Amino acid sequence: IKTVGITNQRETTVAFDIETGEPLTNAIIWNDVRTKELVRKLIDEAGSASRFASINGLPITTYFSAVKMRWMLENVPEVQAARERGTLRFGTIDTWLIYKLTGAYVTDVTNASRTMLMDLKTFKWSQECLEFFGVKESELPEVRSSAEVYGTIKDGRLQGVPISGCLGDQQAAMVGQSCFEAGEAKNTYGTGCFMLFNTGDQPIFSKNGLLTTVGYQLGPNAVPKYALEGSIAVAGSAIQWLRDMVGLVSSASEMGSLSDSVEDNGGVYFVTAFSGLFAPYWRDDARGCIVGLTQYATRGHIARATLESVCYQTRAILDAMRKDSGTDLRRLRVDGGMTNSDQAMQIQADILDIEVVRPEMRETTALGAALAAGLGAGVWESEEELRRIAQSNVSAFWSRITSEKRDEMLQGWEKAVERSFNWA
């Protein structure tokens, strides 16, 4: 083993004591909504949810790390005590792992760009954002590129092996899908769903509810690339809910055949807003709802409506990306657990009306972390080499429905989304 790369669930935040190396409280994960009331207070204080978007590319929501840090500072006595001692340190999961494995207190540009605290143009912690959220710069890690040696593993079977790649999970998938050119996009279907669109070496600040983020910086002297991102809070986790909580299916693999048992959704729509709706809606008051039920509806209709829900939300994000970038995307690269379902990918192609391309290598997040690590350790020398490694056999899906049918389905979805608002 020549080197190790790390990819992690972004935004999830850890507070720990730099003297003991021990966590001070449980991590707060990316989709946790305990900070909802704090967010409303902060928006009032800021005057607008987008007050800092021109600096960090993000709206003030429960999603990002700064709000989680502020909540810990206000609600966790151990965190407050560590601040008084000067030993408090915050980090996303990449920071925690690299610190525990090597002793280095660092993060990479992709993870730092999800905290709400980094200036997207300078790649430094923003003093204005730090002041507003009440976080000290000394409590944050050093920001580094996504491909360089951060340190070597201190002990265990990998002792002495360097860690030389670090990317947030969605940016890792972008690298794993070799989306290295402006205008290329990928969508990862996991617990949630995340579409990233490479905008090149300049950030585009969205006017349509998308996030502006760092795509990657593959080396300390490399030109950083930016991306527009749309995030869906609930994708694969809706299938888990149907399996574990409702008992509609006994395994996730049943969803495809069950949805294929019906011709269409039968007028049934499932808005999977279990913790609100993310881009481009940004409604934390939305909650999940199934609408359009009649006595005609079957398990198959509900299964199909579940798969369609992710695909409709992907379409809303794609439409926003078209408006922001002025580019008509003609191909979407896809990966993640849900892409194992041919039925789900056919539905996605039907709703998007563009080519949907699925690689043979589905674990593109892990592949992206490995590619960054290899580049950082000198195993490979260029993005072109990475592209050759990442490209493999693909399956392509094209729309099979008429534009009239597509418009009818989209109108039904928009009506369903409206029904999900104002519940929390």
Side-chain angles (χ1 to χ4, degrees), residues 37-356:
E37 292 308 316
L38 173 59
V39 163
R40 289 176 183 167
K41 183 179 119 186
L42 290 171
I43 291 171
D44 286 344
E45 197 179 317
S48 163
S50 59
R51 159 86 180 272
F52 302 103
S54 62
I55 299 172
N56 59 35
L58 309 173
I60 301 172
T61 77
T62 59
Y63 189 4
F64 305 109
S65 305
V67 175
K68 304 177 197 302
M69 294 175 193
R70 173 75 171 262
W71 189 91
M72 289 182 191
L73 285 163
E74 291 185 359
N75 293 279
V76 182
E78 292 83 357
V79 171
Q80 295 162 356
R83 166 169 277 190
E84 286 176 20
R85 293 192 301 270
T87 58
L88 172 63
R89 298 294 184 270
F90 288 114
T92 41
I93 296 298
D94 59 304
T95 295
W96 171 249
L97 290 174
I98 294 171
Y99 172 71
K100 295 299 281 186
L101 289 169
T102 73
Y105 183 45
V106 298
T107 189
D108 93 298
V109 291
T110 66
N111 281 292
S113 74
R114 311 297 293 188
T115 61
M116 294 200 76
L117 299 174
M118 190 187 83
D119 187 317
L120 286 180
K121 292 172 183 168
T122 66
F123 288 4
K124 306 288 185 189
W125 300 117
S126 161
Q127 292 305 312
E128 187 178 349
C129 294
L130 291 172
E131 254 178 60
F132 180 80
F133 289 103
V135 179
K136 297 178 181 178
E137 188 169 357
S138 60
E139 295 166 347
L140 296 173
E142 179 187 357
V143 181
R144 307 271 285 274
S145 80
S146 307
E148 60 178 278
V149 175
Y150 311 108
T152 55
I153 295 174
K154 293 181 292 185
D155 49 40
R157 296 180 68 180
L158 295 179
Q159 185 174 3
V161 175
I163 297 177
S164 58
C166 180
L167 290 153
D169 52 6
Q170 302 313 317
Q171 283 91 339
M174 192 177 184
V175 171
Q177 288 271 29
S178 66
C179 292
F180 295 134
E181 300 296 326
E184 293 184 321
K186 72 89 201 173
N187 202 24
T188 298
Y189 302 74
T191 306
C193 191
F194 305 88
M195 188 189 295
L196 269 73
F197 178 94
N198 187 327
T199 63
D201 57 10
Q202 294 297 321
I204 293 176
F205 292 95
S206 177
K207 296 184 174 72
N208 294 285
L210 300 177
L211 310 175
T212 303
T213 194
V214 178
Y216 54 84
Q217 184 189 20
L218 295 178
N221 300 314
V223 176
K225 297 295 178 71
Y226 294 89
L228 284 170
E229 177 174 333
S231 310
I232 299 168
V234 176
S237 55
I239 297 171
Q240 293 168 357
W241 179 76
L242 287 178
R243 182 192 65 198
D244 300 338
M245 306 302 288
V246 180
L248 187 80
V249 293
S250 57
S251 69
S253 59
E254 282 181 55
M255 288 292 290
S257 57
L258 194 54
S259 68
D260 254 6
S261 70
V262 293
E263 279 187 30
D264 56 27
N265 64 18
V268 177
Y269 293 86
F270 183 9
V271 184
T272 55
F274 295 154
S275 53
L277 286 170
F278 285 0
Y281 308 101
W282 295 111
R283 294 290 297 250
D284 63 5
D285 63 340
R287 287 297 178 266
C289 63
I290 300 175
V291 300
L293 289 171
T294 65
Q295 286 181 309
Y296 165 75
T298 66
R299 292 167 67 234
H301 292 111
I302 292 173
R304 187 175 183 90
T306 306
L307 297 181
E308 285 186 356
S309 176
V310 181
C311 300
Y312 288 125
Q313 291 177 79
T314 298
R315 168 66 187 247
I317 291 168
L318 185 63
D319 287 344
M321 285 181 174
R322 283 173 174 149
K323 290 175 187 170
D324 279 332
S325 68
T327 303
D328 267 345
L329 188 67
R330 286 286 147 219
R331 178 183 297 111
L332 181 66
R333 302 173 192 270
V334 298
D335 56 78
M338 274 184 68
T339 65
N340 290 319
S341 165
D342 287 355
Q343 293 90 342
M345 292 303 97
Q346 184 57 55
I347 291 168
Q348 186 67 90
D350 288 341
I351 289 172
L352 292 182
D353 195 26
I354 63 173
E355 183 185 14
V356 172

